[in-house]
Amino acid sequence: MKKLTALALVSMYLAACSSAEKEQSKERTFMLSQQSLDDAQRNATVACRDAAQCDAVWSLTKTYVEQNSKERLTRADAFAIETDVPSGSGKPVFSATRVATAGGGATVSLFAQCKGMYEDERARGSDFDDCAKKILSVQNGFVPYLKARLPAN
């Protein structure tokens, strides 16, 4: 009986260690994914030099958002582009901003987030992994999309 009790205690201890290791691994993966998302956000920003170039960038940005969102646009004016908030979780919401800079230029940034991606205090939500993949793909593809369609100068 003592051997069974000892074996049960060892099994519980190993299970607890395994569970803690899995949680640590999940947390490391979350932090790496979050870093990748932060990098993709920074990289999904482009500066344009004058009104003509900025208008072309902005038009392409609207097209890119429309092509990559399953939701309809709810706003598309000179300063912001926004998609509707999806009804279910796990689906991205996209927006873009155009902020004027000196000399007639602007900075255009593409933003994305999913419903269900985060919980309170920016903790990992149930749809984080799936959402991160979708967002990374779209944000990392934004600048190459623009470069492929804008005249080189």
Side-chain angles (χ1 to χ4, degrees):
M1 187 64 156
K2 286 184 182 181
K3 285 185 180 181
L4 278 173
T5 303
L7 184 59
L9 288 173
V10 169
S11 294
M12 288 178 11
Y13 174 76
L14 290 175
C17 288
S18 175
S19 179
E21 287 174 4
K22 285 180 184 176
E23 279 304 310
Q24 286 178 340
S25 177
K26 274 185 171 179
E27 186 60 27
R28 279 192 300 272
T29 301
F30 171 67
M31 295 305 289
L32 288 172
S33 294
Q34 187 58 56
Q35 181 63 47
S36 295
L37 286 168
D38 292 343
D39 291 345
Q41 179 59 64
R42 279 189 296 280
N43 294 333
T45 299
V46 64
C48 45
R49 67 180 174 281
D50 57 38
Q53 186 186 46
C54 292
D55 287 346
V57 166
W58 195 237
S59 177
L60 287 168
T61 300
K62 180 181 176 215
T63 300
Y64 188 76
V65 169
E66 288 173 321
Q67 289 174 351
N68 285 282
S69 178
K70 296 194 184 314
E71 304 301 321
R72 67 180 180 81
L73 292 181
T74 58
R75 179 180 177 186
D77 57 33
F79 307 103
I81 298 168
E82 298 173 351
T83 63
D84 203 1
V85 176
S87 57
S89 66
K91 298 174 185 164
V93 174
F94 295 101
S95 64
T97 59
R98 179 178 177 174
V99 179
T101 58
T107 300
V108 173
S109 299
L110 176 67
F111 302 95
Q113 189 169 335
C114 286
K115 192 174 184 179
M117 188 170 182
Y118 296 103
E119 293 178 357
D120 292 340
E121 303 294 321
R122 206 160 153 89
R124 179 177 188 238
S126 60
D127 291 322
F128 181 85
D129 293 331
D130 189 41
C131 289
K133 288 176 192 170
K134 292 173 186 173
I135 289 171
L136 286 169
S137 172
V138 174
Q139 284 192 307
N140 286 330
F142 178 58
V143 171
Y145 172 86
L146 293 176
K147 285 182 178 180
R149 286 158 182 78
L150 292 169
N153 285 0

